[in-house]
Structures are given as C-alpha cells and as structure tokens.
Amino acid sequence: MAQRPPILDALVVGAGPAGIGTALALASVPELTFGVLERGQIGQTFLEWPSAQTFLTPSFTGNGFGATDLNAVHPETSPAFSLGVDYPTGAQYAKYLRSVTKHFQVPVMDDAEVTAVTKLDDAFAVETSRGPVSTRALVWAGGEFADPTLPRMAGSSLTVHSREPGAWQPRTGRLVVIGGYESGIDIACYHVERGAEVEIVDAGTPWDAGTGSDPSFRLAPRSRIRMNAARATGRLTLTAAHATGVKRDGDTWVVSLDNGTKATSDSRPISATGFGAGLGPVAPLFSARPDGWPELDEDDQSTISPGLFLSGPAIRHGGLKFCFIYKFRQRFAHIARVIGERAEKDTSALEAYRAAGMLTDDLSCCGVECAC
Ligand SMILES: Cc1cc2nc3c(=O)[nH]c(=O)nc-3n(C[C@H](O)[C@H](O)[C@H](O)COP(=O)(O)OP(=O)(O)OC[C@H]3O[C@@H](n4cnc5c(N)ncnc54)[C@H](O)[C@@H]3O)c2cc1C
C-alpha cells in the first residue's frame, strides 16, 4: 500500500512577495512544518514585468527606526540596501526575493504548479504538477498578475491589456488608453515619453487629486509628476468618459465613449483596467463579497473553508484595500500567528514584526487620513 505523505502544518502557494513574506513569518514559529510551492521561479511575476516597468512605491532603508523599507517582506531586509535602487525593476525585485529566500533558507519548490485543492475534514489535499501534498493550513498567495481584467464592452478583445508585452511595444501616432489609475498613467506616460499622442479615457477621473490620502485611491506622487510632465508636452489628453465599445475601422481603432464622442487610436488601444483576485483552483473555496472580492474573516481566512488563508493584494476588509506590499505585509505575521497557535507552537518571536511596523492585527486602525 502506498504510504500517505506526512501532513504539513502549512503550505504556501506562490513565491512572490506575499508568499515569501508569509513563509518568512512562518519560519519565525519554531518546529512548524511548512513549505512554498511556485509554478515558475521565485518572483516569477516580476520576471514577466515589461523591462521598462518599475515600482511606484519607493524603497529606502529606514529600517531600525520603525520605518521598514516599503517594499521589504521581512523586517531585517531592504531592497534599497541590497539592490542599491529606490524604484526597482521587476528583474531587480525578483533578485531581492531570491536573496531573501536564500538568506533565511525558506523551503521553496519551483516548477510546482498547484492544480487542484480539496478541503477534507481537518486538512487540504493539494494536487500539484510534482505530486500530491497534504496540509492543515493553506495560504493562497498566487497573486493577481495571471488574472487581468478587460473592460466589459463590445470589442474589448481588440484591446491589449497593460500587462502584455505588446502593450509596451513602440507606438506612433494616436493611442487610446482605457483606465486612468496607476497602470494607465504609467503606460500612457511611457508612450508619450517616446513620442506618441495619448488619450486616456476614464469616467472615474482617478488622476484628480481627490480628498482622501490613501494611495489605493490616489495617484502616487511619482505618477503625478510623470503625468504632469507628459501633459506639458501637449501629447497627453485626459478624458472623463467611459469607453462603451471598440471597433476596427481600416487602419484605426475607434473607441466609443458614453459622452457621445469617439477616441481614435492608430494602434491597438490599451486596457489598463486592472486585475481580478487570481484565486485559480481555490476560487470555489472562497465565498465572494457583493463587489466580487473574496470574503475573508478577521484573520484573512476564507469564511467557508477554515484553514484556507489569503495573502496578497486581493485582501479587502470593508473599504480597505491591501493592494501594495507595505499594506499586505501587515498580515504576514498575523496569519503565521493564527496558524502557529492552532499547531500549538510558540509564536512569540512574531512580535518583532510589530516593532518594525509590519504587523497590524487590529483592522479598525488602518484608515489613512493625513491632516496636511
Ligand atoms: C504592474 C504592477 C505594478 C505594481 N507595482 C507595485 C508597486 O510599485 N508597489 C507595490 O507595493 N505593489 C505594486 N503592485 C501590486 C503588488 O505588490 C504586486 O501585484 C505583487 O506582485 C503582489 O504580490 P503577490 O506575491 O501577491 O503576487 P505575485 O508576485 O504575482 O506572486 C504570485 C506567485 O504565485 C505563483 N502562482 C500563481 N498560481 C500558482 C499555482 N496555481 N501554483 C503555484 N504557483 C502559483 C505565480 O507564478 C507567482 O510567482 C503592482 C502590481 C502590478 C500588477
């Protein structure tokens, strides 16, 4: 009879910042058995970023004064220190993740894709491209990059999503970008800087300053500086309208807008319309909030599959979005503590995350409001 493999205390799926960060917190719990499965390589998503793309959150070595580098996934590390740059490219950030993984000896198995997950009474049966695994707790950290969202309109397949390399190929003449938040401003500025004439359309006008202070709802200063420079060339137009359809007309693409006008593109329009939750094979194990994002309890655990946790940018609690690394890393140590306590291990070492400004377990204090 085939021997049943041992049951892990915790299994993390995905070796991006969320997966590596959560695994590092799990490593602070002595005697916990855990591992990370990654379908590609460590930092796979960042290796797939277009080479021109950089972080918009700056790195700076403020560690030691409670201001841990915004892009760090462990309190004792800083991409600014190890990479020597403040706005890493994808390739640079993947290098940081590899070095952290190696330094802290995080057990990562690459080329191991999770293809199916079944909830059993007290464990999860996980099917992977490298064989089955059983675990008591499962942390989904599969990221959003594999789940691009196109606009809901006729002809959206005629557009190219901003995550695709084709969106970053050189463009001449007029270009329409649908979506005006961070990724829309980023790719529009990229093409304006190279000579194209770009029109961004977005009914929500996310480029406006607004009144809130939370960067999840307000352009980063660096994006605003770039946008203003692009507008000063006269080659960036911002249109407050919703795209309702795209049609091909000879050599051009015509985007219909809900204000009755049309925007014309001399190459494929770009959809900078964001990402979904990217839950892959665990999607049926979460229930959905009315806005479609996964429903989580106060421990970032599925409300219908106890023991299944979510780590990463898809975390939502009420109106709070945890879509940046400095936000979702606040939950690494919390998730690790819940898992550790259930396994009856000593979790006291995780308090070091709080001292480093990397642990929020009281979600009521997360609002961002700056007086000036
Ligand atoms: C274009 C872009 C720019 C961004 N810029 C910033 C920024 O400047 N600052 C910031 O803080 N945040 C930024 N974000 C948001 C967020 O920090 C990133 O999306 C980040 O990559 C999320 O980390 P993650 O670990 O959840 O996901 P990922 O980095 O995508 O990692 C997920 C990993 O899971 C693996 N995986 C997925 N499915 C499976 C499976 N079935 N089996 C095994 N492995 C699997 C993937 O291969 C991948 O390596 C940006 C996001 C995007 C898309």
Side-chain angles (χ1 to χ4, degrees):
M1 200 172 85
Q3 230 185 347
R4 201 178 165 206
I7 301 183
L8 293 171
D9 289 320
L11 180 68
V12 179
V13 183
I20 296 297
T22 310
L24 287 163
L26 291 168
S28 297
V29 181
E31 296 166 14
L32 201 76
T33 56
F34 73 96
V36 182
L37 296 180
E38 165 56 50
R39 72 172 161 208
Q41 302 171 42
I42 294 165
Q44 183 62 40
T45 292
F46 294 90
L47 295 172
E48 291 173 27
W49 271 20
S51 56
Q53 188 148 355
T54 65
F55 269 59
L56 61 95
T57 46
S59 272
F60 195 85
T61 310
N63 304 31
F65 286 80
T68 306
D69 187 317
L70 285 185
N71 301 316
V73 295
H74 185 277
E76 291 161 24
T77 70
S78 160
F81 171 69
S82 59
L83 300 171
V85 296
D86 45 7
Y87 293 98
T89 62
Q92 287 169 332
Y93 195 74
K95 185 176 174 200
Y96 159 75
L97 289 177
R98 283 197 303 275
S99 66
V100 171
T101 305
K102 189 171 170 202
H103 180 81
F104 293 98
Q105 299 180 325
V106 181
V108 178
M109 183 184 280
D110 53 16
D111 291 322
E113 175 160 17
V114 169
T115 52
V117 176
T118 309
K119 171 97 178 89
L120 308 174
D121 282 346
D122 59 348
F124 293 88
V126 181
E127 298 298 325
T128 87
S129 54
R130 296 180 65 166
V133 191
S134 297
T135 180
R136 289 190 188 85
L138 182 66
V139 181
W140 182 260
E144 59 191 3
F145 202 65
D147 191 9
T149 311
L150 286 175
R152 280 198 207 146
M153 62 178 187
S156 65
S157 61
L158 294 173
T159 71
V160 55
H161 194 275
S162 56
R163 65 145 275 172
E164 302 296 338
W168 296 80
Q169 276 166 5
R171 308 293 188 106
T172 48
R174 297 163 297 175
L175 169 66
V176 176
V177 173
I178 301 166
Y181 188 47
E182 289 294 355
S183 58
I185 298 293
D186 185 18
I187 201 158
C189 291
Y190 173 81
H191 287 298
V192 169
E193 285 156 10
R194 282 154 188 80
E197 218 176 286
V198 182
E199 178 171 2
I200 305 179
V201 299
D202 192 326
T205 67
W207 49 76
D208 285 340
T211 50
S213 325
D214 188 341
S216 295
F217 303 95
R218 182 188 172 92
L219 283 183
R222 186 163 180 262
S223 306
R224 192 165 294 285
I225 292 166
R226 284 183 74 202
M227 180 182 79
N228 290 338
R231 289 186 84 182
T233 66
R235 282 185 277 106
L236 178 62
T237 310
L238 306 174
T239 301
H242 187 69
T244 54
V246 181
K247 274 191 184 151
R248 189 79 198 259
D249 182 12
D251 287 341
T252 63
W253 285 255
V254 179
V255 181
S256 301
L257 304 179
D258 65 354
N259 61 7
T261 66
K262 295 186 191 307
T264 304
S265 202
D266 294 315
S267 57
R268 274 178 92 182
I270 295 170
S271 287
T273 36
F275 297 86
L279 297 177
V282 295
L285 299 178
F286 284 93
S287 76
R289 305 185 343 160
D291 62 3
W293 292 94
E295 185 99 57
L296 302 174
D297 70 9
E298 60 190 15
D299 298 324
D300 299 345
Q301 190 176 215
S302 162
T303 51
I304 55 171
S305 310
L308 172 60
F309 297 82
L310 179 64
S311 183
I315 297 175
R316 302 280 186 280
H317 286 287
L320 294 174
K321 283 186 180 183
F322 289 70
C323 57
F324 291 112
I325 291 166
Y326 77 90
K327 290 185 168 190
F328 63 70
R329 74 181 184 186
Q330 295 293 327
R331 307 297 286 166
F332 297 161
H334 183 78
I335 293 172
R337 186 169 53 207
V338 173
I339 292 173
E341 283 173 356
R342 284 184 194 164
E344 299 181 351
K345 308 291 186 201
D346 175 9
T347 61
S348 53
L350 290 166
E351 277 305 303
Y353 279 73
R354 197 186 306 281
M358 275 183 64
L359 172 56
T360 299
D361 37 22
D362 176 6
L363 292 165
S364 66
C365 63
C366 289
V368 185
E369 280 315 326
C370 301
C372 52

